[in-house]
Each structure stands twice: as structure tokens, then as C-alpha cells.
Amino acid sequence: MRATPKLSLLVLLLTLIGYSFPTLAESDALLASIRKAGQVKVALASLPPYMIVSPSGEAKGSTVDLQNMVLEAMGLPKITPLLMNWDALLPGLQAHQFDYVGAGLNITEERCKVMLFSVPIYANRTGLYVLPGNPKNLTTIAQVVDRSDIKVAAISSGPVIAYMLKQGAKPEQIVRVPDVQAAIATVTGGRADAYVDGEFAVPKPEEKGLKVVTDEQTPAYGAAYAFRKEDVRFRDAFNEHLTLLIRDGMIQKLYNKYGIPNGEAQAQLLAKFRKPSDIAPNCD
């Protein structure tokens, strides 16, 4: 019996659909590698309660949950975490030690030259974490620049140091530290007058002996997951699901789950940034 033109067209479309999607998926080298390995190797760093990796290798935290939701929507397993120092994240990504950086790296023009970022998952303005009572009366980076006697702690791998030097701060005013915990200890131990980072970088700073003062004069900056340049198709697919979760208010819900303060304020600020170029204009 001869097929009708409409039936023939339907069969052709179904055939094309059946073959095009698997071919598209397999053409993504990272996705194919993940499916073959049966795991998604993701680099994390220590930043409770956003991300915590136990000695047994179990990962939890708000950003861990968010990534697992994205991966589940992509039909992939939960992350297999690799706990690393912040300074080792970028070299490890380029050396293919893991599939992508899930620690949430600050989006900068320089980094965008060598890697791809997801949509922003975190946005904030600059904050100065000082001792209770703010003994040096610090409220802005401009004050730090004008007072050569002031010393501040800043994470070596973050964008703060470059920003402060550009504003005129002297190198000897900056105490470089590897992570948030070291920065807090530097201030509470009296080796710096303030720790400069995002206004939300330290959850419940008063419980750690600090007070945060937001510098309203500084521009907002943000962080995102990082991917290799050649993994653009995987990044784009990841972004599709991540964007839907962010628009659904999932980040604020996760902050509430983990008791992270200022969840609503963070969500409102994040809503202003939809792509990496909103933070750094030349980022793809």
C-alpha cells in the first residue's frame, strides 16, 4: 500500500528526530567523556555553608545542591567532588583534572580570555570585614587607599587585590591570604585592619568576631562556574537548566535551607545579572 504524502513526511521527521539528538549529544566531547566514565568530576573548594566536602568525600552545601539539580535535569549523575585549594582550580581545569570548576570563581576579564563562565550564580558588592565597633572607622576602599597605615587582608586568587591596586592602594597594604578562614584569622589576630571581599562572603560574620561594612561606592561583581573553552556546548546546555532554576528562586530557597543570611538581598542583586558579560563586558 502506498504511503500518503503526510504519512511519509511524518515518518521522515520522526526518523530525523530519532537520529539527530543522539548524534548531537555524542558530538559533545565532554558529555561523551562523562557518560563513558559514569561520573561528573567537579572541583570544589572549602567555603561553608556554600560548599563542604567531608573527609569521606561527601559534598554538601547550597552550591552543591544547585549543581546536582542542573546535572539531574541534564540526565547526568550527581557531582563527584574533588576538594582543591583555590589557587589550584584554574591550573587543574586547564590540565583536564576534572570536568569543570564548581567552586564559583569570580568573573573577570582576564579569566574570560582562557575559560568560559556559566550564568552568574552569585553577585555582591565589596564589603570590609572589621572588628566590632569598627575601630579604624573604615567604610570604603577609598579610605584604605588614602591611609597608608591601614592594612587589609584579601584572597590571593580573587579580584579584590587587582581592584585595590588599580585604585591606588600600595602592595604593602595588602596581606595576601589563601582563603576566607585565613582572612578572618588575619583580622581577628590583629595583622590586618579589615578583610576585603564580597559583602556576603562571610555568613553571620558577627559569630566569627567581625562586622561587615558595605562599600556603596564600588561596583558589583559576581561569580560563576567555570568551563574550558572547548566545552562551550556543555556549558550552554548547563546554562539552560541553571537559568531556569535561578529564575525559579532556587538560590534563595537553598540559602534558606542552609541558614545562609541575606538570601533575599542576594537574590535581588543576582537578578540584575543574566550573563557573564553583565559582570565583565568582554566575557562570552
Side-chain angles (χ1 to χ4, degrees), residues 43-45 47 51 63 67 84-94 98 100-108 111-112 114-124 155 157-159 221-228 276 279 283:
L44 299 180
L47 187 61
M51 50 186 161
T63 191
Q67 291 174 76
M84 307 188 72
N85 292 327
W86 289 95
D87 290 346
L89 293 173
L90 303 188
L93 179 67
Q94 300 296 350
F98 40 81
Y100 70 88
V101 176
L105 290 175
N106 289 308
I107 302 170
T108 67
R111 285 176 175 171
C112 286
V114 295
M115 69 186 65
L116 297 172
F117 283 102
S118 70
V119 298
I121 58 162
Y122 178 79
N124 62 129
I155 295 177
S157 61
Y221 60 94
Y225 306 128
F227 302 82
R228 288 178 288 271
I279 301 293
C283 289

Side-chain angles (χ1 to χ4, degrees), residues 181-204:
Q181 288 77 13
I184 293 172
T186 301
V187 178
T188 57
R191 288 174 288 141
D193 301 297
Y195 159 41
V196 182
D197 205 334
E199 60 184 321
F200 307 125
V202 181
K204 299 181 181 180

Side-chain angles (χ1 to χ4, degrees), residues 76-199:
L76 298 174
K78 292 182 178 180
I79 67 174
T80 297
L82 298 177
L83 181 61
M84 307 188 72
N85 292 327
W86 289 95
D87 290 346
L89 293 173
L90 303 188
L93 179 67
Q94 300 296 350
H96 288 76
Q97 294 177 5
F98 40 81
D99 297 316
Y100 70 88
V101 176
L105 290 175
N106 289 308
I107 302 170
T108 67
E109 299 278 355
E110 287 302 311
R111 285 176 175 171
C112 286
K113 294 177 182 178
V114 295
M115 69 186 65
L116 297 172
F117 283 102
S118 70
V119 298
I121 58 162
Y122 178 79
N124 62 129
R125 293 160 297 181
T126 299
L128 292 89
Y129 294 87
V130 299
L131 293 174
N134 196 3
K136 296 295 181 70
N137 296 313
L138 299 175
T139 58
T140 66
I141 297 298
Q143 285 180 307
V144 175
V145 172
D146 290 340
R147 296 172 58 180
S148 59
D149 62 307
I150 298 296
K151 287 192 174 183
V152 298
I155 295 177
S156 299
S157 61
V160 169
I161 294 177
Y163 175 78
M164 291 191 62
L165 293 174
K166 186 176 181 180
Q167 297 305 307
K170 298 178 178 61
E172 56 268 26
Q173 288 184 270
I174 302 171
V175 181
R176 297 171 182 259
V177 294
D179 53 37
V180 174
Q181 288 77 13
I184 293 172
T186 301
V187 178
T188 57
R191 288 174 288 141
D193 301 297
Y195 159 41
V196 182
D197 205 334
E199 60 184 321

Side-chain angles (χ1 to χ4, degrees), residues 223-236:
Y225 306 128
F227 302 82
R228 288 178 288 271
K229 286 278 190 179
E230 64 264 29
D231 297 326
V232 60
R233 299 184 72 176
F234 185 90
R235 189 282 306 263
D236 291 347

Side-chain angles (χ1 to χ4, degrees), residues 26-108:
E26 292 305 319
S27 69
D28 186 320
L30 177 56
L31 182 58
S33 173
I34 288 172
R35 293 200 186 284
K36 181 178 180 180
Q39 62 179 350
V40 186
K41 293 185 293 183
V42 179
L44 299 180
S46 178
L47 187 61
Y50 299 97
M51 50 186 161
I52 307 165
V53 180
S54 69
S56 63
E58 180 184 2
K60 63 180 181 178
S62 60
T63 191
V64 173
D65 286 6
L66 182 63
Q67 291 174 76
N68 282 333
M69 291 177 186
V70 172
L71 294 172
E72 181 181 8
M74 295 175 69
L76 298 174
K78 292 182 178 180
I79 67 174
T80 297
L82 298 177
L83 181 61
M84 307 188 72
N85 292 327
W86 289 95
D87 290 346
L89 293 173
L90 303 188
L93 179 67
Q94 300 296 350
H96 288 76
Q97 294 177 5
F98 40 81
D99 297 316
Y100 70 88
V101 176
L105 290 175
N106 289 308
I107 302 170
T108 67

